Amino acid sequence: MTFAIEQEALDFLDQNPDIHLFELFILDAAGVPRGKLLHRDELLAVYRTGRPLPSAIMNLSLKGEDTEGSGLVWDVGDIDCRAYPLPGSLVRLPWRQMPTGAVQVQMHPTEGLPAVAADPRHVLKRVVTAAHADGFYPVMACELEFYLLDACDDAQGRPRPALDSDGGRPRQTQVYGLRELEQIEPFLASLYGACRAQGLPARTAISEYAPGQVEITLEHGPALEAMDQAVRYKRLVKGVAHAHGMRACFMAKPFADLAGSGMHMHISVADRSGRNLFAAEDKAGSPLLRQAVGGMKHFLLDSLLMFCPNANSFRRFQAHSYAPLTPSWGVDNRTVSLRVPGGPQESRHVEHRVCGADANPYLAAAAIIAAAHDGILQRMDPGPAVEGNGYAQTHRLLPTDWLSALDALDDSAWARERFGEDFMRVYLAIKREEYRQYMSEVGEQDWRWYMHQA
């Protein structure tokens, strides 16, 4: 496993003499960045000998609480586990008032034991390495939808879209609206500037299907690199929004009566020379593409919890909402789970439309790649492509409740083999504790109502 070299830090310090604070962060299994704020004179040691982090940092719930049964807290004495910086992750945070840098770390394969087993980036690395061993090189890109909200809720304690530049508040959907993008120009200018400063390939901006909802696409690249970019981009969006007096919300369904926010994952598979193995004149792609789709369909339920990790995630699944309801695929069809977009044959790929914006990019990508890989190895048939309105052709629905997805992952021998027993133990312990807390807070009656409404 390749970590960053010390010269990268030396060059950065030389080029940024004004920065005296550095955020050191690692993404936990719940998808939350956690870490420490370091002084300038502490940075080089991170590159030389790593940074000790408690094993419990990889067992935390969304609330930041220890998870009983994970095996990463009391059983091991909350032991220190060493993490090392990732190449290219040392960057400025240009939206911060005080000059600040950031560096992303990952647990070391041996020095990071036992926490490394629950490091989500390590899980993706394991799946990518397995694909490479068979001559398949996954290429991915991420589209993240989010809401721009006021920093403060309204008088009833409800979130609301942030004010436009003209002082008005967005109230209409206006999907693809250009005026809507113009009204958030100061935010977009800062965001694109910050992306350039951090080397993140932000591309097309779209006013999405609700007031205050935005989508910005990232360029495709090798899967691990693309998900690193997605993780850093999400932190960047939140930071830039905060600097503009707004909140960037990545909940899957923050408003019951408005569109949910998805994380559309684009995937193709290249050979060792970089040739797209999904490319074909046929708009449905090559036989290899269809086999990958077969795998993604077959293992969709096994990995649904990685695409929809929270109770709120399942509120997004509603008919005619551009969120899928069934394991389905189609060509240039946005009513299915797995869409093969149009375009030139060399760009042929699959758009995986199941993930909510609240998903951990590393775990979602790992599940997608593992399923596609096994689909290719086993030459799985995806069945006929859906034509027309996929919502009117639903025969086998995806679960719309958190517990069913949790149980499906727990029962999956495929997931245990692909993602590792140690990771599954920790991840399932975290999600079951979150489920228990959710049930105790909303009560059984509220939970029954929620299941009915989802």
Side-chain angles (χ1 to χ4, degrees), residues 329-341:
W329 79 289
V331 178
D332 208 6
N333 188 332
R334 288 183 171 85
T335 68
V336 299
S337 296
L338 305 167
R339 170 179 174 253
V340 181

Side-chain angles (χ1 to χ4, degrees), residues 12 17 24 75 80 115 135 139 147 182 214 259 287 316 318 323 371 389:
F12 186 90
L24 179 146
D75 296 346
D80 273 342
V139 175
Y147 277 87
E182 181 181 331
V214 183
R316 178 172 156 263
Q318 298 177 5
N389 184 0

